[in-house]
Amino acid sequence: MVGIISYGAYIPRFRIKTEEIARVWGADGAEIARGLGVREKSVPDFDEDTITISVEAARGALARRPLDPGEIGAIYVGSESHPYAVKPSAAAVGEAIGATPVMTAADCEFACKAGTAAIQTGMGLVKSGMVTYAVAIGADTAQGAPGDALEYTASAGGAAIIVGNDDPIAEINHTCSYTTDTPDFWRREGQEYPSHGGRFSGDPAYFKHVQGAARLMLEQMGTTPSDYDYAVFHQPNAKFPTKVAGMLGFSREQITPGLAVPRLGNTYSGAVPVGISATLDIAKPGDRIFVTSYGSGAGSDAFDITVTDVIDSDVFNRNAAPTVEQLLANPVYLDYALYAKHKGKILMQ
Amino acid sequence: MSVPRYWRKQQNRYRLRGTHCETCGRYFFPPRNLCPTCRRDGTIVDYEFKGDGKVRTYSIIRTASEDYDLQTPFVLAVVELEEGTCLTAQVICTPEEVYIGMPVKKAFRRIIADGDAGVIVYGTKFVPA
Ligand SMILES: [Zn+2]
C-alpha cells in the first residue's frame, strides 16, 4: 500500500523570543506569547532559504533510508517562499540529492498547505505506477511585515516525506480534502509581505476548513478520534490547533508530540510535515496518526496514517538524521537587531 | 558573474563530487582526471564525498567584499575530509566556536546571489558535527 518510505526535517539554528519582538514594538510580550502559545520562533541564517532547507530535509530522509536516487521519479516542493518567482526549487533539490535527470519536478503553492498538496500529488503518481518514489517537501522562510501580528510567528523550517509502495514505515490509509475560495490571507506578485483579512480570521477560514476535511475523513473511514493515537493539525500558533482538536474530540495528549509551534513558530508549508516528522520520531508500529493541514485561500488536506513494523526494522534507521526534538534543542538566540540583519530588514547601501 | 561558469561546476559544489584513483587510493577535490602519482597507470573514477571531516586550519574574515559583508565576521577554513583530501570552505559557526581539529559535516547553503535579480549560487559549506 502507498505510504511513507522515509522522512526528514530541518530547522535553522537561530531563534528570537516573542518577548524580544514585543519589546521593540512596545507591546506586552508575555501576554502575546500566552495568547498565541508561541514562546519563540526559528530564524534562517543569512545563507538559508527554502531550497537549502528542502535539501537538508531530503538528505535527512535519505540518510534514514538509503535509496537509489535514480528511483526517485518525482520531486514536489511546496512553499510560499520559493527563492525564485520563476525557476523551480524542486529541480535544485533533485540535483543536490542526485535524483536528476530522469525525474519530473514542480513547485507547489497553496499558502500553508502546499506541503500536503505535494504529498497527495506524490501519492497519485506512486499509486498509478508512474514513479517508484516521490519526494514531497513542505518548507518555508515565512515573512511577516515588521510590527504586523504575523511577525511574532512567521518562522523557517521544513520536512521531506518520501512516498512509495514497497515496505513503507507508515501506510497512508486514505486522504481527502476540503477547498473553497476564501480571501483570508494573500500576497500579490511582487509584494514582499502578505496581507490578511483581519488578525484572527479564524472561523470562516481555519476552523471551517480544518473541521470540513477532518469530519470528512472520520466519516469516510468510519472512525472516531479515539481510534487514533496521535493527531497533527496545521499550527499557525498553538491556540488554533488546540482549539480545533477540542472541537473535533481529540485530546491534548494526542496532539502534543506533533505540536512544534510553541518553540518553532509557524513554518507555513513546513508546519504539518514537521508535525508528522515529530510524531514519527516517537511513534511505534501500529500507531495510527490523524493529520489535517490548512492553507489560506483556502483548503485542508486530511490523512489517515498507520505506522508499520518497518519503522523498527533493519532497512530504516531513525537515528541517522536528527529528530525534531534534537533540531529544536540548543538554539542560538538573536536580539531584534541581529534578527533584522538575518531577515534582510536592514537596507544596505 | 558568469552563469555558465558556475553552472558547469554545479554538481561538484552541490554534492561534493570529486574523483578517486583506484590504483593508489587517493581522492581528489576538485576532481582530477589524471592521478599525479600513478600518471598513466592510474584508474580515475567519479566519487561523491561523504562530507565528514575536520578543520585543519582557519581564518576569521572580518572585512569582505560587498557580497559577503552581511555575514562578517565569518570562518573560512581548510577542511580535511575523512577521505584525506582538503578543500577551502566556510564553516558556519562563530569565531569563538571554531578550533583546529573541530569535527564538521557538509551543509547545503547559498554561496552568493547576483544582486536581487540575478542567479543564486548554492553549494557546500560546513557546520560543526
Ligand atoms: Zn593514483
Side-chain angles (χ1 to χ4, degrees), chain A residues 13 47 49 56 84 95, chain B residues 11 108 110 120 122 125:
Chain A
R13 189 183 177 201
D47 53 2
D49 61 23
E56 291 293 330
Y84 289 95
E95 196 84 45
Chain B
Q11 290 219 333
F108 192 81
R110 261 184 199 219
I120 305 166
Y122 293 91
K125 296 184 182 179

Side-chain angles (χ1 to χ4, degrees), chain A residues 10 13 45-49 51-52 55-56 59 83-84 87 92 95-98 100 341 348-349, chain B residues 10-11 14-15 66 69-72 90 92-94 97 106-110 118-122 125:
Chain A
Y10 181 78
R13 189 183 177 201
D45 207 343
F46 301 111
D47 53 2
E48 290 184 303
D49 61 23
I51 289 179
T52 66
V55 168
E56 291 293 330
R59 284 180 174 170
Y84 289 95
K87 190 180 182 303
E95 196 84 45
I97 63 172
T100 48
K341 190 179 167 194
M348 305 288 282
Q349 284 220 307
Chain B
Q10 185 166 276
Q11 290 219 333
Y14 278 20
R15 289 160 56 197
E66 203 184 313
D69 200 36
L70 202 62
Q71 297 186 43
T72 54
Q90 194 178 334
I92 312 289
C93 65
T94 64
E97 284 173 282
K106 70 174 179 182
F108 192 81
R109 298 282 179 128
R110 261 184 199 219
V119 74
I120 305 166
V121 175
Y122 293 91
K125 296 184 182 179

Side-chain angles (χ1 to χ4, degrees), chain B:
Chain B
M1 167 163 59
S2 145
V3 172
R5 187 166 69 87
Y6 279 92
W7 181 76
R8 275 197 303 275
K9 298 210 188 305
Q10 185 166 276
Q11 290 219 333
N12 306 110
R13 280 197 328 271
Y14 278 20
R15 289 160 56 197
L16 283 183
R17 277 167 64 96
T19 52
H20 171 50
C21 174
E22 289 186 326
T23 311
C24 70
R26 283 181 71 182
Y27 291 89
F28 305 106
F29 189 92
R32 279 173 177 268
N33 295 321
L34 185 73
C35 175
T37 313
C38 309
R39 297 270 165 195
R40 268 186 1 220
D41 297 331
T43 306
I44 298 282
V45 295
D46 286 340
Y47 179 78
E48 187 169 330
F49 288 90
K50 278 194 294 182
D52 296 322
K54 58 178 194 263
V55 172
R56 179 182 270 192
T57 185
Y58 65 90
S59 60
I60 309 299
I61 309 296
R62 296 183 189 277
T63 311
S65 65
E66 203 184 313
D67 292 320
Y68 298 96
D69 200 36
L70 202 62
Q71 297 186 43
T72 54
F74 63 85
V75 178
L76 194 66
V78 173
V79 172
E80 183 180 335
L81 295 170
E82 213 172 54
E83 291 89 344
T85 190
C86 289
L87 65 138
T88 303
Q90 194 178 334
V91 174
I92 312 289
C93 65
T94 64
E96 292 75 35
E97 284 173 282
V98 69
Y99 60 93
I100 288 170
M102 181 170 81
V104 291
K105 60 180 183 187
K106 70 174 179 182
F108 192 81
R109 298 282 179 128
R110 261 184 199 219
I111 304 294
I112 195 168
D114 187 11
D116 284 337
V119 74
I120 305 166
V121 175
Y122 293 91
T124 303
K125 296 184 182 179
F126 290 84
V127 293

